[in-house]
């Protein structure tokens, strides 16, 4: 992992995931470690973020590193027409590591090809969000005690939801069974179904989840990604398609936990927040430890 970019979850092996999770557990016990002393990390967010940006910032601060960058591309020379390639080549002169989010699929891969320092993909369009996946794995392992043989329900926008795409690939290493719950317009893309079929894994597609989440170990809710729709009317048709309510949790398994990468719009009713099954806010905290672990692994600090 040392000096390697993390652009896609495929860039890491199952052993790499497990190593990151072990490191994340260490950082959870002891978060303040001066391992990044003298190092500079650039954080380039061309798209809005709360959790990913701020948890990376917190991770870098807790590791004693210095942070440069922007969270609004309009304040950078991108607004004058500078290419992504030129921006990355320039920033790579200033920083030892670049964390970037970009609305275009493949932007992080392009950046990794022109950068002389490692790139961490903090989300590229509807493609992937690998650091979210690693914190999701950490959250699943923490709540289930294992990553193996789990029944995962992925609910909502499975077409544009990049966190779903990365999580599916990672959980395929652990013999998961997948239940995809979406309207037909937001169904999981075929390439992912072919991927699971080729791996011999079971998956089922549903258009509703009432009455079936009783079988779930993990219910992974997602927001319908308004910003990915070219036609606003198409978004209006599907935006309220699933709402998880407290009464729907009756009869669910004791170990069942609800995850959501957040932000939430209205797909989880707020009366679910205080139930034992709700795990999305602790999940966001896990992002700090996991991102500390990812940085430490890539920078060869541990
Ligand atoms: N989960 C996630 O990527 O959230 P933000 O968009 O707030 O970073």
């Amino acid at each position: 992992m040392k000096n390697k970019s993390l652009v896609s979850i495929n860039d890491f092996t199952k052993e790499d995931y497990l190593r990151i999770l072990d490191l994340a557990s260490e950082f959870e016990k002891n978060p303040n470690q001066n391992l990044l002393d003298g190092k500079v990390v650039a954080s380039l967010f061309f798209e809005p973020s709360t959790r990913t940006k701020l948890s990376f910032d917190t991770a870098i601060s807790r590791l004693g590193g210095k942070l440069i960058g922007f969270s609004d591309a309009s304040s950078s020379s991108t607004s004058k027409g500078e290419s992504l390639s030129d921006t990355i080549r320039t920033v790579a002169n200033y920083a030892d590591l670049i964390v970037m989010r970009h609305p275009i699929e493949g932007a992080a891969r392009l950046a990794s090809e022109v950068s002389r320092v490692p790139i961490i993909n903090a989300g590229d369009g509807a493609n992937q969000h690998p650091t979210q996946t690693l914190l999701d794995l950490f959250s699943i392992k923490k709540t289930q005690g294992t990553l193996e043989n789990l029944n995962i329900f992925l609910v909502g926008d499975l077409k544009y939801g990049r966190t779903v795409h990365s999580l599916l690939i990672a959980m395929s290493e652990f013999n998961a069974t997948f239940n995809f719950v979406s309207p037909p317009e937001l169904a999981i893309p075929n390439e992912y179904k072919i991927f699971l079929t080729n791996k011999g894994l079971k998956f089922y597609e549903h258009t509703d989840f009432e009455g079936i989440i009783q079988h779930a170990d993990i219910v992974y809710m997602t927001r319908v990604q308004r910003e990915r729709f070219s036609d606003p009317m198409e978004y209006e048709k599907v935006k309220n398609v699933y709402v998880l309510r407290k009464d729907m949790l009756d009869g669910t398994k004791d170990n069942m936990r609800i995850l959501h990468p957040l932000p939430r719009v209205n797909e989880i009713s707020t009366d679910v927040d205080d139930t034992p099954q709700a795990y999305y806010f602790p999940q966001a905290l896990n992002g700090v430890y996991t991102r500390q672990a990812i940085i430490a692994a890539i920078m060869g600090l541990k």
Side-chain angles (χ1 to χ4, degrees):
M1 282 180 276
K2 190 175 172 194
N3 287 326
K4 205 172 156 185
S5 290
L6 175 55
V7 170
S8 155
I9 199 67
N10 296 305
D11 293 333
F12 281 7
T13 63
K14 179 177 181 178
E15 289 67 39
D16 293 335
Y17 307 157
L18 296 174
R19 170 83 184 123
I20 297 282
L21 301 199
D22 284 347
L23 282 176
S25 294
E26 282 182 33
F27 284 115
E28 183 177 22
K29 289 184 202 109
N30 182 15
N32 295 317
Q33 303 187 35
N34 238 16
L35 301 169
L36 271 181
D37 190 26
K39 301 281 186 204
V40 175
V41 180
S43 164
L44 311 182
F45 276 68
F46 296 85
E47 213 184 37
S49 168
T50 296
R51 277 144 293 274
T52 312
K53 171 87 178 71
L54 297 182
S55 64
F56 262 117
D57 291 2
T58 306
I60 292 157
S61 298
R62 292 204 182 281
L63 291 170
K66 296 277 187 299
L67 188 68
I68 61 169
F70 52 79
S71 54
D72 177 3
S74 68
S75 70
S76 78
S77 287
T78 304
S79 61
K80 302 175 197 163
E82 185 171 50
S83 69
L84 176 64
S85 174
D86 285 1
T87 301
I88 296 296
R89 277 177 206 264
T90 303
V91 175
N93 289 325
Y94 307 148
D96 301 288
L97 175 71
I98 297 174
V99 177
M100 65 171 279
R101 169 172 287 189
H102 200 281
I104 297 176
E105 293 182 30
R109 180 65 68 200
L110 170 75
S112 72
E113 284 165 3
V114 299
S115 175
R116 62 183 188 85
V117 301
I119 299 285
I120 297 179
N121 179 8
D124 62 327
N127 186 31
Q128 285 228 359
H129 195 348
T131 68
Q132 176 72 43
T133 295
L134 288 161
L135 81 88
D136 292 343
L137 294 186
F138 185 73
S139 302
I140 293 170
K141 176 127 187 267
K142 228 176 130 177
T143 59
Q144 305 297 312
T146 180
L147 289 168
E148 299 286 346
N149 305 317
L150 296 172
N151 195 2
I152 312 278
F153 277 57
L154 296 158
V155 183
D157 186 347
L158 310 185
K159 179 178 180 186
Y160 298 115
R162 58 193 173 197
T163 64
V164 166
H165 303 156
S166 308
L167 183 62
L168 176 155
I169 292 167
M171 285 306 295
S172 74
E173 294 289 338
F174 301 97
N175 195 37
T177 298
F178 297 92
N179 283 272
F180 300 124
V181 184
S182 73
E185 300 92 323
L186 298 177
I188 190 84
N190 270 335
E191 67 198 81
Y192 294 102
K193 292 193 268 182
I194 294 166
F195 170 80
L196 294 178
T197 303
N198 288 343
K199 291 198 88 167
L201 293 171
K202 290 196 280 278
F203 66 86
Y204 305 94
E205 291 186 275
H206 314 273
T207 51
D208 198 357
F209 65 161
E210 282 210 60
I212 56 171
I213 60 167
Q214 284 68 20
H215 304 292
D217 297 308
I218 293 290
V219 175
Y220 193 92
M221 298 295 296
T222 63
R223 171 179 69 93
V224 177
Q225 309 260 308
R226 185 185 55 195
E227 64 275 29
R228 312 275 177 235
F229 283 75
S230 48
D231 180 350
M233 291 309 291
E234 290 300 310
Y235 170 71
E236 289 300 318
K237 272 198 263 176
V238 288
K239 68 177 187 184
N240 293 323
V241 70
Y242 302 118
V243 179
L244 181 61
R245 305 179 313 273
K246 190 175 180 179
D247 63 276
M248 292 164 67
L249 305 180
D250 292 346
T252 53
K253 292 165 77 168
D254 289 345
N255 62 305
M256 191 278 265
R257 292 293 176 274
I258 303 158
L259 270 58
H260 190 315
L262 302 177
R264 153 177 66 182
V265 181
N266 60 355
E267 57 279 358
I268 302 178
S269 164
T270 51
D271 66 0
V272 175
D273 294 357
D274 295 326
T275 66
Q277 290 91 346
Y279 194 73
Y280 25 96
F281 292 114
Q283 178 188 1
L285 170 61
N286 291 339
V288 175
Y289 312 130
T290 312
R291 288 174 172 126
Q292 285 184 282
I294 293 166
I295 292 168
I298 288 177
M299 303 291 282
L301 306 174
K302 282 269 187 185

